[in-house]
Amino acid sequence: MSETTDKYMNELKEWLLETADQNLEEMSGFFTARIEGYEEHMSIWKKSYERFAKLLPQGCEKILDLGCGTGLELDEIYKIYPDISVTGVDLCQSMLDKLAKKYINPPKMICMDYFKYDMGIEKWDAIISFESLHHFLPEKKKMLYQTIYHALKQGTVFLLGDYVAYCIEEEELLHKVYFEKRMKFQIPDEQFVHFDIPLTLKHEKELLYSVGFSDIQVCDDMEEAMIIIAKKK
């Protein structure tokens, strides 16, 4: 383990110890409670949103945004593709309400669990997600990735911007704490909670390969995160 990773892991362990007695917040409620300062908080990703938008293949006419929130990635996408057709799915209505106020003609917005959303078959020119999927276990993500793969047209892409674990130790530790907290506070299995459980880049790519994506590229210019381009040939 490198000195940087060792320092990071020590700080993570200290934080987990300090927050050991804190319950996990329900996902939608977590974001609703922080809606006023959300975009300012996420402004640290400004360059990453710009980068994300530029990685969309030219010619995209119809995209699906999973966990669209207030549309910070869409702000940059619309600058490049002002006429693009967007459907955004998010669990938090307050986020979508804020998104709706941004544009005269806002994207189509659907408030629901995107794991349950019917994406269709070979329907989209691109499916995107930014800083959302690190809240979910690999088994659940694999099912979603399979759905995404089938919903994309041939020759199109799944564009994922998300946190990745520094190392396998971080991945395993966060998953361990996640399960312990769910058990300690008797959180129902079906309830989404706000707690980061990112995978290592290796494991994230393995999930994508396992559902059929054959060409996966990684852009590593995001601090503590990656942009992954998974192509469906």
Side-chain angles (χ1 to χ4, degrees):
M1 186 179 295
S2 69
E3 184 176 341
T4 300
T5 303
D6 190 53
K7 180 176 181 294
Y8 173 82
M9 287 303 302
N10 286 334
E11 291 174 350
L12 175 61
K13 290 173 183 177
E14 289 178 7
W15 177 78
L16 290 172
L17 186 61
E18 291 170 0
T19 58
D21 294 326
Q22 292 182 13
N23 198 349
L24 300 179
E25 294 182 60
E26 184 273 329
M27 188 78 77
S28 180
F30 176 90
F31 288 105
T32 296
R34 294 160 178 81
I35 189 66
E36 292 306 317
Y38 174 76
E39 292 202 349
E40 181 179 358
H41 174 72
M42 295 297 285
S43 64
I44 60 170
W45 298 107
K46 172 67 174 175
K47 291 183 178 179
S48 296
Y49 289 126
E50 293 173 354
R51 173 71 165 149
F52 195 71
K54 290 175 182 177
L55 288 171
L56 268 181
Q58 289 194 4
C60 282
E61 296 180 355
K62 188 175 184 180
I63 68 170
L64 174 65
D65 188 349
L66 303 177
C68 62
T70 64
L72 291 170
E73 64 274 15
L74 297 179
D75 293 343
E76 301 303 325
I77 290 171
Y78 280 132
K79 290 177 184 177
I80 302 174
Y81 302 105
D83 298 322
I84 198 167
S85 173
V86 178
T87 297
V89 183
D90 201 281
L91 192 65
C92 183
Q93 185 61 55
S94 60
M95 291 284 214
L96 295 178
D97 290 343
K98 191 161 187 173
L99 172 57
K101 295 175 183 177
K102 285 186 172 183
Y103 305 104
I104 296 174
N105 296 307
K108 179 181 179 182
M109 294 171 290
I110 300 169
C111 185
M112 70 177 297
D113 166 7
Y114 52 61
F115 290 94
K116 296 179 180 178
Y117 176 65
D118 182 2
M119 300 183 199
I121 301 296
E122 296 192 2
K123 181 177 180 179
W124 307 95
D125 297 314
I127 296 176
I128 67 174
S129 184
F130 194 98
E131 298 291 2
S132 180
L133 285 165
H134 60 278
H135 297 118
F136 304 107
L137 293 168
E139 297 82 6
K140 199 163 185 66
K141 290 169 74 170
K142 182 176 180 178
M143 290 189 294
L144 183 70
Y145 290 168
Q146 185 75 73
T147 301
I148 288 171
Y149 181 83
H150 290 302
L152 285 167
K153 298 175 183 177
Q154 293 291 331
T156 59
V157 302
F158 172 43
L159 191 57
L160 173 65
D162 211 353
Y163 292 118
V164 292
Y166 261 90
C167 55
I168 189 63
E169 182 185 0
E170 180 187 8
E171 179 184 306
E172 292 176 347
L173 175 61
L174 289 173
H175 280 69
K176 175 176 178 289
V177 172
Y178 172 82
F179 284 117
E180 289 175 346
K181 281 181 173 283
R182 292 198 78 112
M183 182 175 294
K184 178 178 181 179
F185 296 106
Q186 299 182 328
I187 301 170
D189 290 343
E190 66 275 9
Q191 181 175 307
F192 292 148
V193 293
H194 186 271
F195 188 79
D196 294 353
I197 46 173
L199 299 177
T200 60
L201 179 59
K202 178 177 182 291
H203 287 163
E204 196 72 65
K205 290 171 66 177
E206 285 175 354
L207 281 185
L208 291 164
Y209 279 126
S210 73
V211 302
F213 289 104
S214 57
D215 184 358
I216 298 173
Q217 301 173 22
V218 179
C219 302
D220 59 356
D221 62 343
M222 294 171 63
E223 185 178 354
E224 299 179 4
M226 298 283 179
I227 298 177
I228 299 172
I229 309 166
K231 297 181 180 180
K232 178 180 178 179
K233 291 187 175 180

